[in-house]
Amino acid sequence: MTIADKQLQYREIITKAVCGKGRKFSTVTHTVTPPHQPTSILGAWIINHQYEAVRSGDGIEVIGTYDINIWYSYSKNSQTDVAKESVHYVEHVNLSYVDPKHRPSTVEVSADVIQEPNCIEANISSNGSGVVIRVEREFAVELVAETKVCVAVLPGGCGDLDGKDLEFSLGDNDYEDLDPDLLDDEL
């Protein structure tokens, strides 16, 4: 049975859908000044990452905090200590697409961490009193809202189909306008 046999009707429905997405990878630099002048860096790591997402202009802001811990030696490598510092950040993530028909009053935003904040490099600063660390992080964000979509409707509903396959066809000459030079021979 072809769709043309059933004479499709179309309707607009309102549904909740992903109406915008974005993704951002970033590398940031922090300087931590320990209580003692470091001789060498023995380790650097990031813990206690927390964040939330909020709508902001043309994108979504990820607002969060994490703690930087740096294990270092001092006094000519004779003693060690751990320097701790909390970092607050705001990461603006642009949306690559936003459905223009979404209802702004129904917007919900969310963020997922693709790459947890991670220390990729730690060095003693040029003046020798601090530790410069590079941190990388990546987020994916979504904007969910109510929007209108157009759907095909079968008069009488789906009950009379009883497992029959529908054939979607525009007519006998569906492929007439295709350029044979564009076809992939390796299929």
Side-chain angles (χ1 to χ4, degrees):
M1 157 183 340
T2 66
I3 294 295
D5 295 338
K6 295 300 263 180
Q7 295 184 352
L8 286 178
Q9 298 174 359
Y10 296 94
R11 295 209 180 109
E12 285 186 323
I13 62 171
I14 296 173
T15 186
K16 196 176 245 190
V18 175
C19 296
K21 283 187 169 192
R23 189 172 179 153
K24 184 173 184 182
F25 175 84
S26 61
T27 303
V28 294
T29 303
H30 302 288
T31 302
V32 176
T33 306
H36 311 286
Q37 187 167 348
T39 305
S40 62
I41 307 301
L42 305 173
W45 61 97
I46 296 177
I47 60 172
N48 300 328
H49 182 222
Q50 297 178 354
Y51 63 94
E52 65 179 351
V54 295
R55 178 83 164 127
S56 174
D58 61 346
I60 295 173
E61 285 186 345
V62 180
I63 302 168
T65 62
Y66 50 79
D67 297 331
I68 300 172
N69 290 338
I70 300 174
W71 182 31
Y72 66 100
S73 67
Y74 62 97
S75 294
K76 297 182 183 178
N77 291 325
S78 65
Q79 295 182 318
T80 66
D81 198 1
V82 176
K84 301 174 185 177
E85 186 171 306
S86 290
V87 172
H88 300 273
Y89 67 88
V90 177
E91 189 79 65
H92 184 81
V93 183
N94 288 322
L95 298 173
S96 57
Y97 167 77
V98 178
D99 179 357
K101 291 189 176 189
H102 81 275
R103 293 182 171 187
S105 63
T106 64
V107 167
E108 298 171 18
V109 295
S110 65
D112 291 317
V113 176
I114 304 300
Q115 162 96 36
E116 285 284 345
N118 183 37
C119 177
I120 55 174
E121 184 178 20
N123 296 308
I124 297 173
S125 63
S126 58
N127 65 11
S129 65
V131 178
V132 178
I133 69 165
R134 285 192 329 139
V135 175
E136 64 183 12
R137 57 189 184 219
E138 185 173 10
F139 296 97
V141 297
E142 286 185 341
L143 180 141
V144 175
E146 289 181 359
T147 187
K148 285 184 181 180
V149 295
C150 182
V151 296
V153 178
L154 291 173
C158 297
D160 62 341
L161 295 178
D162 294 327
K164 297 175 187 168
D165 290 333
L166 291 179
E167 189 178 306
F168 291 89
S169 175
L170 298 173
D172 293 336
N173 299 324
D174 288 349
Y175 304 106
E176 192 173 86
D177 295 332
L178 289 179
D179 184 355
D181 295 333
L182 296 177
L183 296 177
D184 189 356
D185 293 332
E186 294 180 17
L187 292 176

